[in-house]
Amino acid sequence: MSSPSTRRNSCRGVVRGSRASSECHVRRRGSSCSYFSSGAQPGDFSVRLSQPIFTITLRFLLAIDLWLSKRLGVCACEESPCGSIRPLVRLVEFSGHVIPWLIGTVYTLLRGESVAEQEIMLNLALALMLDLLLVRVVKTLVRRRMPAQNRSDILSNFFVERYSFPSGHATRAAMCARFLLAQLVDTASMWVLVVGWAALVSLSWLLLARHYVTDVGFGLAMGYCQYSLVERLWVTWDCLQDLLLM
């Protein structure tokens, strides 16, 4: 027969084993929807009084950026608080992707009925390619890692890039919105529709935890300024014909 002390020790071992297994199970469940990289832990933003004031301020702002981005990522996966509307948010996200914009622009350019319409579509296509180039250059220079994506999200593996700063969707949304407002939109209702679309596209990447808040904010400002460059480099239809003849 086993002694009472042996029984107590065995019971304690069973309880400890069950606690460890339950903790492991909870960790596994929590890790399935961890959408921010493990490299951006709160401890990374610890500061020392001996550091320069610029470094302290930068780390403080980055900590706020990380906290706010995590609070907004309510559609990061199906288990998120607003995971039920994730398909709708992803549809809004796809509306700002460069592929449908390029396809629609080239189709309208080829099927244009007037020279003025073809000229606008030509410059829109050039603006989209300019946006891709500038965003790629900035991302390569900054090299800020994107938040970790849900591994079960197959489409994200094809369309989501490695670097996040700035948000390409935000730059494209701001640039295209300003382009449309300047060239095509002539009513107040269309103005509200275009601006609302640009805001929703930018917000969708925060809700899906694709970007940080600073990525989207800088992307909107960068895209807004890009249209000024497009206006300066505007290519007229006659100028294009002269270049082709040369």
Side-chain angles (χ1 to χ4, degrees):
M1 296 179 62
S2 59
S3 62
S5 60
T6 305
R7 293 178 181 176
R8 285 195 297 268
N9 293 334
S10 61
C11 291
R12 290 176 182 174
V14 172
V15 171
R16 291 176 181 174
S18 61
R19 287 180 180 177
S21 60
S22 61
E23 291 177 358
C24 182
H25 181 64
V26 171
R27 290 175 182 174
R28 289 178 181 176
R29 290 184 59 186
S31 63
S32 62
C33 192
S34 59
Y35 44 88
F36 284 91
S37 59
S38 58
Q41 298 294 335
D44 296 341
F45 300 102
S46 60
V47 297
R48 299 177 182 176
L49 296 179
S50 60
Q51 293 179 342
I53 186 64
F54 175 78
T55 303
I56 297 176
T57 304
L58 181 60
R59 287 180 176 272
F60 178 72
L61 294 177
L62 289 177
I64 295 179
D65 180 32
L66 176 61
W67 174 81
L68 186 58
S69 301
K70 292 180 68 174
R71 298 283 293 182
L72 290 174
V74 295
C75 300
C77 59
E78 288 75 7
E79 294 79 11
S80 300
C82 297
S84 58
I85 64 172
R86 179 180 167 85
L88 180 60
V89 177
R90 292 195 60 187
L91 182 62
V92 176
E93 170 201 9
F94 185 74
S95 67
H97 201 274
V98 67
I99 293 179
W101 273 93
L102 279 177
I103 293 176
T105 301
V106 173
Y107 177 80
T108 308
L109 173 63
L110 297 177
R111 302 285 295 182
E113 298 179 355
S114 63
V115 175
E117 181 180 351
Q118 291 178 332
E119 181 178 316
I120 293 175
M121 291 298 104
L122 171 65
N123 285 274
L124 180 57
L126 295 177
L128 291 172
M129 290 185 286
L130 177 65
D131 173 72
L132 288 176
L133 177 62
L134 294 179
V135 170
R136 174 62 60 184
V137 170
V138 176
K139 284 187 175 182
T140 304
L141 293 176
V142 178
R143 303 175 71 87
R144 185 186 190 184
R145 289 286 182 176
M146 298 191 71
Q149 301 297 313
N150 186 4
R151 299 301 181 183
S152 62
D153 195 351
I154 299 178
L155 293 178
S156 298
N157 297 330
F158 292 97
F159 295 118
V160 177
E161 301 181 7
R162 295 176 57 188
Y163 304 120
S164 66
F165 187 89
S167 170
H169 275 64
T171 60
R172 193 175 306 111
M175 189 267 296
C176 290
R178 193 179 175 192
F179 189 101
L180 296 177
L181 293 176
Q183 302 295 331
L184 299 175
V185 174
D186 55 357
T187 60
S189 58
M190 288 297 298
W191 188 92
V192 174
L193 183 63
V194 171
V195 174
W197 167 82
L200 288 176
V201 169
S202 303
L203 182 61
S204 67
W205 277 69
L206 294 176
L207 297 178
L208 294 170
R210 302 269 200 252
H211 281 287
Y212 300 100
V213 175
T214 50
D215 302 338
V216 176
F218 186 86
L220 289 173
M222 180 177 172
Y224 184 85
C225 297
Q226 280 180 3
Y227 178 72
S228 301
L229 182 60
V230 173
E231 280 187 323
R232 291 181 176 273
L233 301 177
W234 190 269
V235 179
T236 61
W237 195 252
D238 294 336
C239 179
L240 178 63
Q241 289 181 341
D242 294 340
L243 291 175
L244 294 177
L245 291 176
M246 291 176 59

